[in-house]
Amino acid sequence: MEKRFDGRKFDELREIEVKVGILSACDGSAMFRIGNTIAIAGAFGPRECHPKHLQDPEKAILKCHYDMMTFSVPERKSPGPGRREIELSSVIRRALTPAIFLEEFPKTSIDVFIQIMQADAGTRCASICAASLALAEAGIPMRDLVSAVGVGKVNGKLVLDLTKEEEDTEGAVDMPIAIMPGKKKITLLQMDGKLSRDELEEAIKLGVKGCLQIYEIQKKALKEKYKVR
Ligand code: CDP
């Protein structure tokens, strides 16, 4: 196999489109599209945390709500978050938490709502990219943006940014990675399947390379929002 199903090189990302500030009802919002995967995120806060028993006197709490539109996948998704969506909300929250100065806002909550409009693999990574931009636009103090992408192994080759078709290939390995690029810190690393130690190191390098490309696109989209016209 020299090329991938969609003709991409092994280390090539899908086409990316990013828009910041798309929803006026939110403090911050963003759309992140990578190939046929589209995530929209809206952020609120810091604001008084309700119910009060969830308040942390030491810091803000971050709440993430991930869900998919019923029409986002070929087989209709039943409305409302199920087990998978609750798990992914927690994964996304953990990937974003290190980037936010939560300690500056005791007793408050910061809320991020993410909807997947269309899914073709990599929705948790697209969600993290969209959410970090929404948080930034909301003016929430952050150490860095968070950039994320899927890496994996398909037909024996390490590949960047898997599609659903690639993920469904027999024996495929899927490894989502998120980083704070400026801080050079990994905030999420998961793996579905098995890689050797050498492959894992290569896969991390490939993922970091992809994240750095995404970071540039995220920064450009954020600056675009504040461009003086
Ligand atoms: O989306 P992500 O790779 O982060 O998470 P996943 O749970 O591994 O899902 C992989 C892909 O399966 C999604 O991106 C969708 O394309 C697809 N999927 C689906 O077709 N129907 C669902 N109910 C859930 C996921």
Side-chain angles (χ1 to χ4, degrees), residues 5-155:
F5 299 138
D6 57 7
R8 269 185 298 152
K9 295 186 207 122
F10 299 111
D11 63 349
E12 193 177 337
L13 294 167
R14 289 177 281 181
E15 187 189 56
I16 295 175
E17 190 188 346
V18 186
K19 280 205 178 98
V20 176
I22 52 164
L23 307 169
S24 58
C26 305
D27 294 336
S29 58
M31 184 281 299
F32 186 92
R33 178 178 73 81
I34 184 159
N36 290 324
T37 292
I38 306 175
I40 286 186
F44 296 86
R47 57 188 183 181
E48 194 176 343
C49 178
H50 291 287
K52 282 197 169 170
H53 69 85
L54 289 181
Q55 286 183 359
D56 185 331
E58 309 273 308
K59 59 182 189 306
I61 60 161
L62 175 66
K63 295 191 225 156
C64 290
H65 314 260
Y66 162 101
D67 205 356
M68 295 170 110
M69 301 300 282
T70 52
F71 54 77
S72 63
V73 281
E75 201 166 314
R76 181 180 182 273
K77 187 212 160 269
S78 56
R83 275 178 56 185
R84 174 180 173 275
E85 288 71 35
I86 292 166
E87 168 70 14
L88 288 196
S89 296
S90 163
V91 164
I92 293 165
R93 180 179 53 75
R94 279 177 281 159
L96 294 168
T97 296
I100 307 172
F101 285 97
L102 294 172
E103 60 280 12
E104 286 188 13
F105 305 97
K107 296 188 183 171
T108 67
S109 79
I110 295 171
D111 297 77
V112 191
F113 297 85
I114 302 148
Q115 270 293 351
I116 302 301
M117 311 307 283
Q118 200 168 272
D120 181 15
T123 66
R124 81 196 63 196
C125 294
S127 299
I128 292 165
C129 294
S132 79
L133 287 168
L135 289 162
E137 203 225 342
I140 293 162
M142 292 167 77
R143 295 178 174 86
D144 200 357
L145 288 173
V146 185
S147 311
V149 76
V151 207
K153 192 164 120 179
V154 179
N155 293 326

